[in-house]
Amino acid sequence: ISKLVPKGLEATTYALLAGFQNFGSVVSSQVGIWATGYAGIKTDEPCNFDNLSWLVAICHCLLPLLAIPLTFVLIPDLLMSDKLIDDEHLDEEPTLATVGCLAGDSDSKPKPDEEKAKPE
């Protein structure tokens, strides 16, 4: 985590990740309740578990396969030893120029020629 976040925000990021994990747990239990109802699975008399095998196959086998293509989109193409964030700009007061530098936009600073020369 220390290479993924700005210096000094490691604990905040860890707390945020723990909160997302708790939120995901609540959402997954609610989606599971909805999915069992939608599949027609009933635990009250008369019980009906006819579609349980299909529900388990879809939720535990097919849906996790969605994570494979997402890894190519969400994980950066860097080595584990590379820095993701440049910490040298973090001590400065944020301006439009430094925010552009942090975002990797080298064209964010207005050029002196563009400020003076306005099209008529």
Side-chain angles (χ1 to χ4, degrees), residues 66-77:
L66 290 175
I68 294 172
L70 289 176
T71 56
F72 297 107
V73 176
L74 298 175
I75 296 178
D77 189 21

Side-chain angles (χ1 to χ4, degrees), residues 22-100:
N22 291 337
F23 178 73
S25 176
V26 170
V27 169
S28 69
S29 67
Q30 295 300 314
V31 169
I33 291 170
W34 175 81
T36 55
Y38 186 76
I41 298 169
K42 298 187 188 296
T43 56
D44 296 332
E45 300 238 355
C47 294
N48 182 7
F49 295 108
D50 292 338
N51 296 327
L52 184 61
S53 61
W54 286 105
L55 187 63
V56 169
I58 290 171
C59 293
H60 288 276
C61 297
L62 295 180
L63 287 180
L65 292 176
L66 290 175
I68 294 172
L70 289 176
T71 56
F72 297 107
V73 176
L74 298 175
I75 296 178
D77 189 21
L78 297 172
L79 297 175
M80 292 287 288
S81 59
D82 291 345
K83 289 189 101 173
L84 295 176
I85 296 178
D86 187 16
D87 290 336
E88 70 184 36
H89 296 288
L90 295 178
D91 295 334
E92 299 174 6
E93 194 66 31
T95 63
L96 288 176
T98 58
V99 169

